[in-house]
Amino acid sequence: MKRTAVVRGLGSWLPPRLVTNHDLAQQLDTSDDWIRSRTGIGARHVITPGVATSDLAVQAGARALKSAAIKGVDAVVLATTTPDYLCPATAPLVSARLGLGNVPAFDVAAVCTGFLYALATAAGLISSEVADCVLVIGADTFSTVLDPQDRSTRAIFGDGAGAVVLASGTADEIGALGPVRLASDGAAAKLIYIPSGGSRDPFRTPTARQADPFFRMEGRAVFRQAVEHMTSSCIAALHDIGWTVDDVDLLVAHQANLRIMHAVTDRLGVPRCRCAVHLDRVGNTAAASIPLALDNATRSGLLLPGHRVLMTAFGGGLTWGACTMRWPDIEPG
Ligand code: UT7
């Protein structure tokens, strides 16, 4: 039977500091009522000064390795938009701190779809026999790139990390990953972007206009595209594996906004009680969003061994995707 990537371990980490909607309302013209009703978010975890993305990734990665009961892997793939440095990638730093030796380690940049892109990359390393076992991490500290005055982005984003261990197995095992659907549309890149600090507008070059180092998002347009593309990629991923909507035990959508998640759930015809909701306590954690939601659903008993899981995400790039999985019999680390 064809080599297939199978999930063998799961872990996550949230920085301890919690920022509630009430805390935000002390600093910005916003309210708990507005944020809850427009997004479903009540609080988010935020790093303290001196903590970086790799610090969260190391914690989540260590927990995923513990969950898989292994000490080493053959590769590390890390999805992030908020690396510790522009150069080098964050994955080698994480790999070294986890004591994983000289294994290949690299970052994947697909913003909030990053975890699905990293999963697909790791699954490819396994199916092409480059690796037998890969640590896949989604980690982001969006608090480091948000405009302190921008109430629409500060209301939704939080920091966190989540990780899975993928190992070589067969498609009939529980834990087996189905085909991953991925897509992008760079023509709409400026709906979600950080204008300055990259090679297009480096900070070190004086330009006529003021550099803008902050994350910018056209919320309404992104909302519409997110609903459309997550729905269509879910339909494609179900088709790929030969499941119907009724086969789905749990929909784990990128936790961007509860209204977006419910719109996707309703369009697909999945009952809302089968949609994993975690953002009320963590907000939108970008690349960490799906593994954090998987960890939470496992701990709360919503996700059980053998369950059919449909995962989908949408983010900057624009990027989006979906994939299916039979949930394995694992304890989060
Ligand atoms: O992670 C991957 C990609 N990201 C997403 O999927 C996020 C998609 N977008 C969204 O979730 C929503 O568009 C937001 C939560 C960002 C904004 O919600 P919205 O319902 O689309 O609001 P809006 O942008 O249409 O703004 C409506 C009003 C505006 O005021 P005016 O111009 O009508 O006076 C905003 O300034 O709401 C205002 N507003 C706020 N008011 C209070 C925006 N953010 C806030 C806030 N508190 N935090």
Side-chain angles (χ1 to χ4, degrees):
M1 193 172 273
K2 189 172 160 249
R3 270 166 77 95
T4 303
V6 176
V7 174
R8 297 254 199 262
L10 171 72
S12 72
W13 178 252
L14 290 162
R17 183 173 154 227
L18 193 69
V19 176
T20 65
N21 293 345
H22 294 290
D23 295 332
L24 280 186
Q26 306 279 312
Q27 305 164 21
L28 293 164
D29 182 12
T30 189
S31 65
D32 178 55
D33 188 46
W34 192 96
I35 300 173
R36 272 186 203 278
S37 61
R38 305 304 290 170
T39 71
I41 297 166
R44 71 287 297 141
H45 291 254
V46 176
I47 54 165
T48 44
V51 175
T53 295
S54 67
D55 299 319
L56 310 190
V58 165
Q59 296 287 345
R63 284 164 173 75
L65 294 171
K66 182 175 169 229
S67 163
I70 54 169
K71 292 215 161 25
V73 291
D74 304 316
V76 178
V77 183
L78 187 148
T80 190
T81 306
T82 49
D84 287 21
Y85 308 104
L86 272 178
C87 169
T90 302
L93 307 173
V94 172
S95 178
R97 281 175 58 191
L98 288 171
L100 298 174
N102 299 127
V103 299
F106 57 96
D107 291 1
V108 167
V111 196
C112 296
T113 320
F115 186 72
L116 292 186
Y117 270 73
L119 269 187
T121 306
L125 293 176
I126 289 172
S127 63
S128 59
E129 301 190 21
V130 173
D132 285 329
C133 192
V134 185
L135 178 61
V136 182
I137 306 174
D140 267 312
T141 52
F142 261 64
S143 65
T144 60
V145 292
L146 299 182
D147 178 349
Q149 302 307 321
D150 184 350
R151 61 184 178 174
S152 67
T153 54
R154 283 202 57 205
I156 56 180
F157 285 97
D159 302 334
V164 297
V165 171
L166 286 187
S168 162
T170 55
D172 58 349
E173 281 181 61
I174 63 167
L177 209 62
V180 188
R181 283 274 179 161
L182 300 174
S184 76
D185 177 11
K190 290 190 176 174
L191 290 183
I192 298 176
Y193 85 128
I194 298 176
S196 306
S199 58
R200 177 63 61 200
D201 186 14
F203 289 136
R204 65 181 179 279
T205 307
T207 50
R209 62 183 185 77
Q210 191 84 27
D212 180 359
F214 295 122
F215 177 87
R216 302 295 175 199
M217 181 174 72
E218 300 278 341
R220 276 194 200 183
V222 169
F223 191 114
R224 281 193 297 274
Q225 298 240 15
V227 172
E228 188 184 314
H229 291 305
M230 284 201 282
T231 306
S232 60
S233 51
C234 279
I235 291 168
L238 289 176
H239 178 264
D240 288 343
I241 194 95
W243 298 351
T244 70
V245 163
D246 294 337
D247 292 322
V248 176
D249 294 303
L250 197 66
L251 173 65
V252 182
H254 167 51
Q255 309 277 303
N257 182 321
L258 189 61
R259 286 157 57 221
I260 295 178
M261 289 154 59
H262 279 165
V264 172
T265 309
D266 294 349
R267 282 188 185 201
L268 287 171
V270 171
R272 285 189 181 182
C273 60
R274 292 197 208 144
C275 171
V277 177
H278 186 221
L279 84 173
D280 49 334
R281 281 161 293 146
V282 300
N284 177 347
T285 54
S289 164
I290 286 182
L292 275 167
L294 289 171
D295 190 310
N296 180 253
T298 310
R299 288 178 197 277
S300 64
L302 194 61
L303 196 47
L304 298 171
H307 269 170
R308 290 183 166 89
V309 184
L310 175 60
M311 299 179 282
T312 185
F314 177 89
L318 302 175
T319 54
W320 60 93
C323 79
T324 51
M325 183 202 305
R326 294 281 307 284
W327 192 244
D329 190 1
I330 53 171
E331 294 274 333

